Amino acid sequence: MTSLFKNIFKLCLAIIVFGGDVIANDLRVTDIPIQEGGRIKPLDTYARNQALAFYGKRKIKHENLSAIDWLLNLFTNPDKGLEQQIFNIRNPEVVNALELEWTNNFHKYSYNEIYPGVENQLTLIRSIFEKKEKDRDTFESQFAELYQNIMKYREIVSSLSCLLPLFTVYSPETAESLHISPGQSTSYAHIMSHRASLFDASQGILTKPENEWSETEREIALLLYNLQQASADEFAKALKIIPPSKNDSTGLWISPWELFDGREIEPHQDKIIKSLEKFLLARFQNDVSAQNAALKSYKAGVLSYPGERINFSVLKNESWLNKANLFTNSLVFYLLGFIFLGISWMIRPTLFRRIAFCSLILGFLLHTYGIFLRMVIMSRPPISTIYETVIFVGFVIVLFSLVIEYIRQDGLGVFLGSISGAMLHYVGFGYAADGDTLEMLVAVLNSNFWLATHVTTIILGYGTSLMAGLIGHLYLIEKIRVPKDSARLKSIYNNMFGVTLIALFFTLFGTILGGIWADQSWGRFWGWDPKENGALLIVLWQLMMVHMRLSGLAKPDKFALGMVLNNIIVIMAWFGVNLLSIGLHSYGFVSGIAVNIILFTIFELVTGFGTYYWARSKKRLAL
Amino acid sequence: MKDQLIKLFSSPKLFVYSLVWLMILVTIGTVSQKDIGLYASQQKYFSSYFFTFGFIPFPGGRIVLTLMLINLISMMFKQNLWKMKKLGVIVVHLGGIMLLVGAGLTAMFSSEGSMVIEEGSKSNTVDDYHITELAIINVSNPNYDQYTIFGKPLFSSGNNLMHENLEFDITILDYMDNATLETAEGTSKVGFKGMLSNFNLVELDRDKDDMKNKPAIIFQVSGTFSDTDGIYGLIFGQSVPATLTTNSNQYVMALQKKKTYLPFAIELEDFKKVMHPGTEVAKSYSSKINLIENNIPRPVLIEMNKPLRHQGYTFYQASFIESPNGEETTVLAAVNNYGRLFPYISSIVMSIGLLLHMLVSMPALFKKKKS
């Protein structure tokens, strides 16, 4: 508990000083820009993504190492990296296929352990890759993934080997021609930048027979041989941290090794590579001030790139967001809110309900700030991926719960908000476990105007619809618990109907806006595509409920049941239609979600009808 | 009597029952897309008046939506509706009427097709996505071609097609929605002409994706009283054009997607695809075109989400083709829709109505607890 409060305190402090933090000029190693997945992101995010892919978590837990430290250790000590037990294999079949033992060290294996097994199974791997992705079984897709992972790992490990001081020169003349002192070690990159003088010095070797070589010439020959060996790492092009040449039109950043393929190195690239070399050396020697100096000149190097200017404050925002875990902390406050509400049912109702309310507000503020920062980083509206829909629906429900709590002041809003906010955060974590949640968008979605209008409106509709369904649940429960308190039941029913009208507004307007977007970009307002039909079903269901109420076909109990069942339709439209994997909207497919949807449907059917009939049987008894 | 009719047709219960049926239709029509594809499902459940399940007929989308429109309009004649506090409700339902009327106009009068243009070339025709037609082109005159077009409704077996432009008769023998060619080894091909003297047309199951279907037609030509009489076959997209020569004229025949000729042309100057750097994810597609009208070109850039609107037609960046030698071809979707403004207006009207209604009713629904 103490560590929790410490974290909260640190977090508040961080938020307060955050403004000043951005103004500070120094570059931290976490904020080094790198291009991955089509965008420029901080090295910290890259490190976390890699840790997640290989290890399954965003930090190396069993060594208590942050992702960035782990990555930097790989760079400074590649050989040790190949020994590090970092690959988390969860499937015993894969372990068997690699002829490894299943029991070792919580199923974590090193590159050097896995590689021999992979070499023996190349025929199998080739046959897997000849299959289409959807035809592979679980073993095959995991084996293929592991193969890709260890290949990528090998590449990452060697990405900066050209900057390591691996070559020692003792002869004074050679050392002088390379601008170092005798006995000093230097890197491939440094030697290549003085290759002209080395070339002059090596002329003698070619003309003389080997037994006439001087000590110096022998050293040069050895050095050339070693350089040749080291250049075997040239394949390691994973780390795209260097802005391209100013004449480049592709926008593709390059990796350090690519600089030595014979191209002309431009001033900003030279500065970056030299600063990075200094940084790695300083880090190896644990010299903090030298590290900071190197990073300072690194930043200057990046800023001297004549192309599109790199926005360091955005990078800083992102690595701060990575560290702050705003959504986890928001979850903690939601859970606390629920606990305090529970306490309020036993003692000091008013006091503890207020504390619970405050806790919910704090969680909501963190939630909001997280969404806000993500918008700033990607400079786009809040929702564009399925992960973001989950986060935003949570936001909407908690927001409305706060309003309801403010109006009712009886804990109902806190109850709704804390439970659903926490649940949706959990669902969100499930999605976040798949990789970087800040993704680039395909062309048709790449429109901030429509993301801001249609997508936001429809997700507001999903959120408020679920909210109405939750109140529906509560109404039925209260009907069983306090059937005689008609004033309370009446007020809950009114709230539910109010939220239903709001939900209808957003789903109707959002669906029509979607049609207008489709008209703008595909040329038809309505195409009976599964996602469109899903949204339409929500609208139709809600229209039906409203008119059933109007025509007397649905009394309050039935209306509540109808809104509970509406939840099933919302979930079907939100996640279910992706399962059909057809249609223009089938992005965001996640395997294994079918089971969850079925479980949810069964839960809603059982609790909905169960409470409905229970409430009615009570009424009958009472008559 | 009139009041009773209005009461019956304007009943909210009628609306509820229509909604229930519409929801069932939408669900079936969505799920069945997995098996029969979007186009067939849409034709069967939504763009139909009736569809049969087994042999029992059920009302299709058009009947239900028409019923809902009647329901909405009759509601406007209710005496007790026209009150100030129901203003929001009235406005919402007026918006609903507009939406349904617009949908009707679109369903009746809109057409959509595609325009395929290679870089450097131009086109003035729009090919319909789905509807096929039989084109018989008299190419004997060096100054112009004479087109005779027969539409798909005429393609039932045994139909005789005649036209004053043609000096021969056509009798339809068979029409297939999807077919392929097979070499006709060992089978007797006496009386078969053109492509069919070497190949057979074999019917295939309809593909879920209607664009992948290759329709084919087999027909008998008679009345030329020459060797030209015989059985001919055509398949959509065939590479070798089918020809027919009579004593006085020469014809080219094709089974093609219904072509619409525009009073202007579009020339593709450059197609551009931009990727997010280092990924396989496309960031944008665009076509730089010249819109040529009365021989006067005007440069236009068509992008994703930024179509070109001209003379009632709207052109969208829909797709592209890249050939291995680097030549690019753009595929523009061309849509002609008279109802397209209705959703824009009705959405605004409905939103205003709902907001008005909420303004009136919300305070009562969210009463603050008296402390």
Side-chain angles (χ1 to χ4, degrees):
Chain A
M1 212 54 184
T2 47
S3 77
L4 177 75
F5 282 117
K6 220 160 75 188
N7 275 333
I8 293 165
F9 176 71
K10 268 198 240 162
L11 194 76
C12 297
L13 202 68
I15 292 173
I16 293 161
V17 298
F18 186 52
D21 202 35
V22 176
I23 299 161
N25 254 326
D26 290 339
L27 176 70
R28 285 172 306 178
V29 64
T30 48
D31 306 343
I32 286 179
I34 178 171
Q35 187 178 57
E36 190 208 15
R39 70 182 181 100
I40 308 299
K41 52 177 83 166
L43 192 62
D44 184 60
T45 304
Y46 179 83
R48 282 165 196 262
N49 290 345
Q50 306 314 318
L52 189 65
F54 303 138
Y55 188 76
K57 290 199 166 55
R58 286 191 165 86
K59 61 186 267 189
I60 309 303
K61 234 176 180 168
H62 74 280
E63 297 187 21
N64 199 16
L65 213 55
S66 72
I68 187 85
D69 284 328
W70 160 74
L71 188 70
L72 293 172
N73 289 350
L74 286 190
F75 295 148
T76 48
N77 198 343
D79 290 337
K80 200 177 151 205
L82 298 178
E83 293 291 340
Q84 192 176 26
Q85 291 183 317
I86 191 83
F87 290 95
N88 191 355
I89 311 182
R90 294 194 190 88
N91 185 350
E93 277 183 72
V94 175
V95 174
N96 290 338
L98 295 167
E99 293 170 59
L100 293 171
E101 262 178 62
W102 171 237
T103 45
N104 107 336
N105 196 17
F106 309 110
H107 320 310
K108 307 256 185 333
Y109 303 86
S110 73
Y111 174 87
N112 282 346
E113 283 170 317
I114 294 172
Y115 190 69
V118 167
E119 259 199 326
N120 287 335
Q121 299 293 354
L122 283 179
T123 357
L124 173 68
I125 292 167
R126 206 167 298 132
S127 77
I128 295 175
F129 277 103
E130 274 163 13
K131 283 189 194 181
K132 275 189 198 146
E133 240 166 86
K134 64 176 183 357
D135 296 334
R136 297 178 194 162
D137 64 22
T138 317
F139 163 76
E140 287 171 333
S141 48
Q142 289 183 351
F143 202 65
E145 195 190 332
L146 181 71
Y147 175 75
Q148 280 167 333
N149 272 343
I150 72 157
M151 288 305 160
K152 185 155 185 217
Y153 187 76
R154 183 74 192 81
E155 204 181 335
I156 291 173
V157 163
S158 303
S159 320
L160 294 187
S161 58
C162 56
L163 302 181
L164 298 179
L166 301 174
F167 308 95
T168 316
V169 177
Y170 296 98
S171 111
E173 299 118 70
T174 319
E176 196 189 335
S177 69
L178 293 175
H179 299 259
I180 54 172
S181 46
Q184 194 186 342
S185 299
T186 189
S187 70
Y188 185 89
H190 182 87
I191 296 172
M192 290 309 275
S193 65
H194 297 284
R195 61 172 178 263
S197 44
L198 196 65
F199 180 76
D200 294 340
S202 65
Q203 288 307 304
I205 307 173
L206 298 170
T207 50
K208 273 191 264 182
E210 293 186 13
N211 51 9
E212 288 174 26
W213 284 0
S214 69
E215 194 67 24
T216 313
E217 283 165 341
R218 216 171 289 155
E219 189 176 33
I220 289 177
L222 184 66
L223 186 62
L224 288 176
Y225 173 76
N226 285 337
L227 285 171
Q228 173 72 30
Q229 292 291 304
S231 70
D233 280 351
E234 261 177 358
F235 74 95
K237 294 171 184 166
L239 210 65
K240 308 287 188 192
I241 52 171
I242 300 166
S245 139
K246 60 176 180 288
N247 303 321
D248 173 278
S249 63
T250 62
L252 281 177
W253 284 35
I254 49 183
S255 63
W257 270 110
E258 279 172 276
L259 283 180
F260 305 110
D261 60 5
R263 71 180 77 198
E264 195 180 326
I265 301 178
E266 295 187 10
H268 69 277
Q269 299 173 328
D270 189 55
K271 187 151 191 183
I272 288 174
I273 204 93
K274 288 203 166 111
S275 321
L276 190 56
E277 185 175 343
K278 280 193 198 114
F279 171 78
L280 289 177
L281 188 68
R283 192 183 147 85
F284 192 72
Q285 294 164 342
N286 250 333
D287 181 346
V288 177
S289 66
Q291 282 181 45
N292 288 338
L295 286 171
K296 209 165 205 163
S297 79
Y298 190 100
K299 186 175 180 181
V302 175
L303 287 176
S304 67
Y305 167 50
E308 200 184 338
R309 200 177 161 83
I310 309 304
N311 190 337
F312 278 94
S313 75
V314 167
L315 294 167
K316 207 160 208 170
N317 274 344
E318 187 175 340
S319 60
W320 184 84
L321 183 66
N322 287 340
K323 202 167 62 193
N325 281 327
L326 289 175
F327 296 147
T328 318
N329 287 301
S330 152
L331 169 74
V332 170
F333 280 111
Y334 290 160
L335 292 176
L336 277 178
F338 186 71
I339 292 167
F340 284 125
L341 182 69
I343 297 173
S344 80
W345 290 336
M346 293 175 279
I347 44 165
R348 306 285 303 268
T350 318
L351 173 70
F352 279 104
R353 206 197 60 240
R354 280 194 186 144
I355 296 176
F357 189 42
C358 290
S359 182
L360 196 65
I361 290 176
L362 276 176
F364 179 71
L365 290 178
L366 293 175
H367 198 153
T368 313
Y369 192 52
I371 292 175
F372 171 75
L373 271 188
R374 291 174 61 91
M375 289 168 66
V376 170
I377 290 163
M378 300 302 282
S379 47
R380 67 184 185 208
I383 314 152
S384 50
T385 64
I386 196 148
Y387 166 75
E388 285 169 336
T389 64
V390 174
I391 297 297
F392 198 78
V393 165
F395 167 83
V396 171
I397 295 185
V398 178
L399 173 67
F400 277 84
S401 302
L402 287 173
V403 173
I404 284 185
E405 180 62 31
Y406 176 74
I407 292 168
R408 300 182 59 93
Q409 307 199 350
D410 62 353
L412 191 133
V414 175
F415 183 76
L416 287 177
S418 56
I419 289 188
S420 37
M423 274 192 336
L424 284 159
H425 270 320
Y426 271 117
V427 176
F429 295 155
Y431 278 98
D434 290 338
D436 195 350
T437 58
L438 293 161
E439 298 164 72
M440 299 312 278
L441 299 174
V442 294
V444 69
L445 291 180
N446 215 346
S447 153
N448 275 353
F449 174 73
W450 290 111
L451 285 175
T453 50
H454 160 62
V455 179
T456 312
T457 318
I458 203 87
I459 300 301
L460 272 164
Y462 286 172
T464 42
S465 298
L466 290 174
M467 184 81 197
L470 289 171
I471 305 180
H473 272 302
L474 267 184
Y475 177 86
L476 290 172
I477 291 169
E478 291 297 275
K479 181 100 186 181
I480 295 166
R481 208 173 61 87
V482 286
K484 298 221 167 62
D485 189 350
S486 59
R488 179 171 168 79
L489 287 173
K490 176 94 180 131
S491 83
I492 297 179
Y493 176 60
N494 280 342
N495 290 170
M496 171 168 56
F497 184 64
V499 177
T500 304
L501 282 184
I502 296 172
L504 179 59
F505 172 77
F506 284 124
T507 49
L508 178 68
F509 191 45
T511 305
I512 296 179
L513 276 176
I516 291 176
W517 185 6
D519 181 57
Q520 294 282 329
S521 65
W522 294 323
R524 86 286 186 291
F525 177 76
W526 197 259
W528 304 103
D529 177 272
K531 196 84 183 177
E532 297 171 351
N533 291 352
L536 178 66
L537 273 179
I538 304 177
V539 177
L540 295 179
W541 186 270
Q542 288 169 354
L543 280 177
M544 180 184 79
M545 291 320 298
V546 170
H547 287 86
M548 277 176 88
R549 176 181 176 274
L550 182 74
S551 62
L553 283 170
K555 297 273 180 289
D557 299 9
K558 207 174 258 172
F559 190 85
L561 174 65
M563 290 323 289
V564 168
L565 299 182
N566 187 45
N567 283 353
I568 298 174
I569 300 180
V570 172
I571 295 297
M572 286 292 172
W574 189 2
F575 300 105
V577 288
N578 292 336
L579 294 180
L580 288 168
S581 61
I582 44 171
L584 295 159
H585 292 78
S586 60
Y587 35 79
F589 177 81
V590 175
S591 56
I593 202 169
V595 180
N596 291 335
I597 293 178
I598 291 168
L599 286 177
F600 179 84
T601 307
I602 293 173
F603 175 83
E604 288 295 51
L605 285 174
V606 169
T607 54
F609 279 102
T611 47
Y612 173 71
Y613 282 110
W614 191 359
R616 286 187 55 159
S617 70
K618 275 202 129 170
K619 198 161 83 184
R620 222 171 290 131
L621 283 177
L623 280 172
Chain B
M1 181 63 193
K2 188 185 130 206
D3 288 349
Q4 270 176 329
L5 267 182
I6 288 176
K7 200 179 168 194
L8 175 73
F9 278 110
S10 66
S11 154
K13 284 187 188 170
L14 180 66
F15 189 70
V16 170
Y17 299 137
S18 317
L19 275 175
V20 171
W21 184 245
L22 187 57
M23 281 194 278
I24 293 172
L25 274 185
V26 170
T27 311
I28 299 174
T30 307
V31 175
S32 71
Q33 288 181 19
K34 183 115 186 137
D35 297 321
I36 61 173
L38 192 147
Y39 181 68
S41 167
Q42 181 185 340
Q43 292 298 316
K44 182 171 179 187
Y45 297 107
F46 305 128
S47 307
S48 64
Y49 292 98
F50 287 99
F51 66 94
T52 54
F53 194 76
F55 55 88
I56 312 160
F58 288 98
R62 286 193 177 175
I63 289 280
V64 185
L65 290 172
T66 311
L67 195 61
M68 285 166 92
L69 182 59
I70 294 171
N71 182 233
L72 277 173
I73 293 173
S74 340
M75 183 204 157
M76 290 297 140
F77 293 102
K78 272 177 135 177
Q79 295 299 324
N80 61 351
L81 178 75
W82 297 89
K83 286 173 192 154
M84 203 51 207
K85 70 169 186 182
K86 288 197 175 170
L87 183 64
V89 177
I90 297 170
V91 175
V92 172
H93 288 83
L94 280 174
I97 291 174
M98 287 166 99
L99 190 70
L100 287 175
V101 168
L105 282 178
T106 302
M108 306 273 190
F109 301 114
S110 77
S111 68
E112 53 177 1
S114 65
M115 197 177 217
V116 182
I117 321 167
E118 261 178 61
E119 264 177 356
S121 64
K122 60 185 171 187
S123 163
N124 68 338
T125 57
V126 176
D127 293 355
D128 193 277
Y129 283 136
H130 307 291
I131 305 166
T132 44
E133 63 184 13
L134 172 64
I136 299 179
I137 309 147
N138 187 337
V139 292
S140 330
N141 193 314
N143 297 323
Y144 59 86
D145 292 342
Q146 186 187 42
Y147 282 73
T148 311
I149 305 288
F150 298 101
K152 195 186 159 190
L154 300 170
F155 295 167
S156 42
S157 304
N159 252 9
N160 270 317
L161 310 181
M162 279 170 269
H163 195 273
E164 57 186 71
N165 290 345
L166 306 175
E167 67 234 67
F168 50 86
D169 291 353
I170 292 169
T171 311
I172 305 290
L173 299 178
D174 199 3
Y175 176 79
M176 303 166 220
D177 281 320
N178 190 20
T180 187
L181 285 175
E182 268 181 18
T183 47
E185 272 175 276
T187 39
S188 157
K189 305 276 351 184
V190 181
F192 288 90
K193 305 287 174 184
M195 179 174 79
L196 284 190
S197 49
N198 294 316
F199 295 96
N200 288 335
L201 279 168
V202 185
E203 183 151 21
L204 297 175
D205 287 338
R206 274 190 80 112
D207 197 284
K208 274 187 240 172
D209 182 355
D210 194 53
M211 306 290 173
K212 288 190 185 144
N213 287 319
K214 281 185 189 272
I217 193 165
I218 301 174
F219 54 90
Q220 170 122 37
V221 169
S222 55
T224 65
F225 305 109
S226 68
D227 193 34
T228 308
D229 280 7
I231 298 170
Y232 289 81
L234 297 171
I235 186 163
F236 172 70
Q238 69 189 65
S239 45
V240 183
T243 56
L244 186 146
T245 315
T246 64
N247 297 330
S248 45
N249 286 310
Q250 188 158 16
Y251 296 91
V252 173
M253 307 182 293
L255 188 66
Q256 60 189 25
K257 292 288 161 98
K258 188 182 165 197
K259 278 189 194 298
T260 309
Y261 295 86
L262 304 174
F264 52 89
I266 289 178
E267 178 183 36
L268 178 65
E269 209 163 275
D270 186 27
F271 173 78
K272 224 184 206 160
K273 177 175 79 168
V274 182
M275 310 298 278
H276 287 297
T279 64
E280 294 297 307
V281 181
K283 188 178 175 189
S284 69
Y285 306 107
S286 61
S287 295
K288 198 176 163 208
I289 58 142
N290 283 317
L291 176 67
I292 305 171
E293 199 167 15
N294 305 326
N295 286 324
I296 303 162
R298 159 160 84 95
V300 182
L301 185 69
I302 300 179
E303 289 177 273
M304 217 83 186
N305 295 327
K306 279 176 200 151
L308 158 72
R309 299 184 198 284
H310 190 66
Q311 289 211 11
Y313 281 88
T314 314
F315 297 90
Y316 304 85
Q317 185 63 56
S319 183
F320 65 96
I321 305 161
E322 269 176 320
S323 74
N325 54 22
E327 276 172 23
E328 286 167 327
T329 301
T330 190
V331 180
L332 303 176
V335 179
N336 185 13
N337 182 2
Y338 298 104
R340 66 175 292 269
L341 278 182
F342 279 83
Y344 291 75
I345 301 163
S346 66
S347 69
I348 295 168
V349 173
M350 284 165 96
S351 306
I352 292 172
L354 257 178
L355 281 177
L356 276 176
H357 181 60
M358 285 199 282
L359 274 180
V360 174
S361 59
M362 281 302 156
L365 297 173
F366 293 98
K367 249 185 251 156
K368 205 170 169 187
K369 198 180 167 187
K370 290 173 202 90
S371 47

